[in-house]
Amino acid sequence: MTEEKVFLVGAGPGDPGLITVRGKQLIESADAIVYDGLANLALLPAGAREAGRPELYYVGKRGGEKAPVTQDEINSLLVKLAREGKRVVRLKGGDPFVFGRGSEEAQTLNDASVPFEIVPGVTAGIAAPAYAGIPVTHRGLATSVTFVTGHEDPAKPNTQTNWSALAKAGGTIVVYMGVRTLRNIADALIEGGMAGEIPAAAIQWGTHPRQRTVVATLETLASKAEEQNVTAPVVIVIGWSVVLRDELNWFERRPLFGKRIAVTRATQQAHALNEKLRELGADVIEMPATQIARLDLTPLRAAIDQISDYDWLIFTSQNAVAIFWEQLLGGGRDARALAGVKIAAVGPATAGALLEHGIAIDLIPERFVAEGLLEMMRGRDDVAGASALYVTAEGARDVLPEGLAQIGAEINVIEAYRSVPDGQGAERLSRAIETGKVDLVTFTSASSVKAYVDVVGELLALRVPAASIGPQTSEALRGVGIEVKYEAKESTIDGLVAAVLRDV
């Protein structure tokens, strides 16, 4: 039975990796999610928009925009969804109780006798400075920190914030939502007795790949932020610990920081590449050019039923391994069925996929392409006259089966899947290319090249250089006129990432 309850969940400051374990679990189990503008969309369940579950309700605003719904309407929506028997996640940027109006929403739920739970989040006032290399406390520099909203203009009468008292309190001051009132805040603090030369920083889009930090003094920060067009969302830090940024600035020093890289790899395999690029600082745009579609697997199931008749089992992709294993287990068999069958894999990624199922590889080439595998098999004395099962993709090159046939092997080629155009996110990527905001596009197969050109159009496709996983992919890229800026020396995800890092 569905739990009728509202969970006020802190989404964290922007980096999706900073969501709490509890928050992530609740998002995944929600019937409805009501989310703010500063909640990273990567936290929403994949495919939710298409599937219609969980229900998604956007109620956010940013930097002076008119909100799509008022706070009273948000409160009413939460009550309504809960009374429909739904498990509701109210996903709020940062922490619900730190300038997030979470307490107001909780009061409404309490008055309506709707059960609720508070799930704290990492607040931007701590996280953004940390990602900018600025500790909010530091022994000898700042023994206290004060969080204050800049939403109220100090120049207006009857402000709730005693800026004069803050100026005399010492320690670090962290200001939320204060970029538009920054000049008046600085004037109020200086008038209250704070030295104008105290270091200060404005951190825009803290913890995001597009984070930008402007460092100045309290007296000059407003002018410098205006010169550099710093706009909301911004966290402002005022205090002596800002001087530590030169030593502690780790996030913006990562090798790919500031680079926007598109990943065209099929969704099923994109995670590893996405994460490696993000760890290195890149802003990753996910635009899977292809997705994996299974073909009629009756021939594969028949071959698996006779697997003991084969001497060799050959894989050239992780997709083929996944589909083969799915059918093996579906037929009531397991790894023991492969006893006595030699296994060949075209490269370490494919070998790794087999090893996850406890299968050690008998043969892997030094060059991670079909030609490399064929060359090694030609040098063996147990291939001629042998029978081999080759599980592959529709339209795969004939290099391997034709070469094995010439050696004298009997090969059964089974096409288990095809790569079909996906294009999810193509509109976003096209807009980014049009505005010059994409530095590189990565490709891990020749099929993804054609699909990419089809979904973004030839003119846009030619504007951005490519990083290729290997020779066949590079050939496909050059064939359509796309510049190959990087080519992996080893046709693996690690090799592709290493190629991108070559000029950094």
Side-chain angles (χ1 to χ4, degrees), residues 36-58:
D36 280 345
L38 291 178
N40 195 316
L41 297 183
L43 295 174
L44 300 178
R49 296 186 188 282
E50 294 76 15
R53 191 183 190 292
E55 299 169 11
L56 300 179
Y57 300 88
Y58 174 69

Side-chain angles (χ1 to χ4, degrees), residues 174-190:
V174 176
V175 184
Y176 293 69
M177 300 172 287
V179 67
R180 289 188 299 163
T181 56
L182 177 53
R183 190 174 297 279
N184 290 337
I185 288 172
D187 289 344
L189 289 171
I190 292 171

Side-chain angles (χ1 to χ4, degrees), residues 257-468:
F257 183 80
K259 300 292 184 183
R260 207 167 198 201
I261 300 178
V263 172
T264 61
R265 190 167 170 81
T267 303
Q268 297 94 322
Q269 288 83 43
H271 180 74
L273 178 57
N274 292 343
E275 288 306 302
K276 288 178 186 295
L277 292 173
R278 286 188 176 118
E279 285 176 8
L280 292 164
D283 183 3
V284 175
I285 301 178
E286 297 181 42
M287 203 295 291
T290 61
Q291 60 179 321
I292 304 306
R294 287 165 168 73
L295 302 178
D296 178 12
L297 298 177
T298 303
L300 178 58
R301 287 192 287 270
I304 289 174
D305 286 341
Q306 306 297 323
I307 195 67
S308 60
D309 293 342
Y310 292 97
D311 301 299
W312 284 93
L313 179 57
I314 304 171
F315 297 100
T316 56
S317 75
Q318 295 167 271
N319 297 319
V321 172
I323 294 172
F324 175 88
W325 207 262
E326 168 192 288
Q327 297 303 310
L328 181 73
L329 296 180
R333 296 170 178 246
D334 57 26
R336 291 172 294 182
L338 303 183
V341 181
K342 299 182 185 71
I343 312 291
V346 75
T350 306
L354 285 159
L355 196 57
E356 287 178 5
H357 299 294
I359 303 298
I361 304 302
D362 295 286
L363 189 63
I364 184 169
E366 294 180 3
R367 291 191 303 133
F368 306 142
V369 290
E371 288 83 351
L373 184 57
L374 179 60
E375 185 180 330
M376 290 196 73
M377 296 190 83
R378 277 183 176 141
R380 296 178 64 102
D381 57 9
D382 56 356
V383 175
S387 60
L389 174 61
Y390 177 34
V391 185
T392 187
E394 181 182 69
R397 296 185 305 140
D398 294 328
V399 171
L400 200 54
E402 288 181 355
L404 289 173
Q406 290 173 1
I407 297 171
E410 182 183 340
I411 185 161
N412 181 14
V413 179
I414 294 183
E415 296 179 342
Y417 67 96
R418 67 163 65 97
S419 295
V420 298
D422 185 323
Q424 181 182 351
E427 184 178 343
R428 179 190 173 207
L429 179 58
S430 297
R431 286 198 306 269
I433 294 174
E434 284 175 350
T435 55
K437 294 179 180 178
V438 180
D439 298 293
L440 190 70
V441 183
T442 62
F443 295 90
T444 57
S445 68
S447 60
S448 65
V449 175
K450 182 181 184 304
Y452 167 74
V453 174
D454 288 344
V455 296
V456 304
E458 185 176 349
L459 290 177
L460 288 181
L462 298 180
R463 287 193 190 181
V464 185
S468 161

Side-chain angles (χ1 to χ4, degrees), residues 16-34:
L18 296 181
I19 186 78
T20 63
V21 173
R22 174 67 171 155
K24 190 172 187 297
Q25 290 170 342
L26 290 170
I27 289 169
E28 292 171 350
S29 65
D31 298 310
I33 299 175
V34 181

